[in-house]
Amino acid sequence: MEYCSHEIFERLGVNVIDSDSILFVGVFGWGTAGVGVATILAQGLSMLLVAIDLKRRIKAPCIAMKETWRDGRKTVLTSINIGFAAGLQNALISFSNIFVWSYINAFPTSVAAGIGAATKIDRFVVLPCKSLAMSTTTFVSQNLGARNFDRARKGFWYGFVLCAAVTLPLTVLIYIFAVPAVSLFSSEEAVIEAGAGMTRFLAPFYSFMLVRDVLLSYLRGYGRSRMPMILSLIGMIGIRQIFLAVTTARSASIRVIYASFPVGWASATILLLIYTGVVLKTVWREAENET
């Protein structure tokens, strides 16, 4: 829908977030808690303002909850099931990073600061890929609804090419400009060395992350979310934590910490590839029978 635009959200939402942050942090002095409160309130108010604006423009309720539940209950529950699995997966992986930082904190503060800078740079590569990979879910599900099964089957390759077209150039850029990029966060030589070292170490392995994210989104498009979530968690949390526990007991090198990230990506990707290879024909057949 043309009214649900990014410009509307920015106009109604971003200014609210900035204003709330100034109020709760600058005026009330709530510090970090103030930022959290401001974010929650601002997002809720932004949603309300967007709904009001949409209602005014289309002359009808923006969110018809009763009608949606009555006429599309099955679709709503399916969407919640798929979305819950994806959300739980991301939440648990983020939580597991706390344990990774317990290993990082054993190193000097300059090293920890460098890794912190590297993870921020990492977001510039990871987030575009994740966002583009999510479009694979929509692509597959829409083609299933249109009974265009051949095109739905090709969804993985469309998603892979799209993500690779963005991720690979970004990977090259951060590898080349790792030192200047980390220098934006700190001028301390030890911080720059650690951050640039991690950035360049991770760069060749982003292909694993790329394939993992596209596979997850592709399978979700076919309604498969629980097992891919479990396999991803095994790789990203279980295997990575075991790797850290074993290797840090044998080596005090910071490169062990660097390696834990691609170990998680690669493990999850391999498990997902095996699962996909085993169930793919079954998934295709079930989807064609249900639609």
Side-chain angles (χ1 to χ4, degrees), residues 200-220:
R200 287 175 171 162
F201 185 95
L202 295 182
F205 299 102
Y206 280 119
S207 55
F208 288 111
M209 179 271 301
L210 188 161
V211 175
R212 182 203 65 186
D213 286 347
V214 177
L215 273 176
L216 284 169
S217 297
Y218 180 71
L219 292 167
R220 287 170 189 155

Side-chain angles (χ1 to χ4, degrees), residues 52-64:
I52 293 172
D53 189 66
L54 287 172
K55 182 178 180 180
R56 178 180 62 82
R57 289 170 180 263
I58 65 179
K59 312 299 182 184
C62 179
I63 305 175

Side-chain angles (χ1 to χ4, degrees), residues 70-131:
R70 183 190 65 215
D71 301 331
R73 183 179 307 177
K74 181 179 178 181
T75 301
V76 171
L77 292 175
T78 300
S79 299
I80 291 174
N81 181 50
I82 295 173
F84 178 79
L88 180 63
Q89 172 190 312
N90 291 332
L92 290 175
I93 290 174
S94 296
F95 180 74
S96 74
N97 287 332
I98 296 174
F99 299 100
V100 177
W101 274 95
S102 69
Y103 293 99
I104 296 173
N105 289 334
F107 292 89
T109 54
S110 58
V111 173
I115 293 176
T119 56
K120 290 180 174 64
I121 297 169
D122 170 79
R123 297 297 93 188
F124 285 98
V125 180
V126 171
L127 290 180
C129 179
K130 286 184 178 295
S131 299

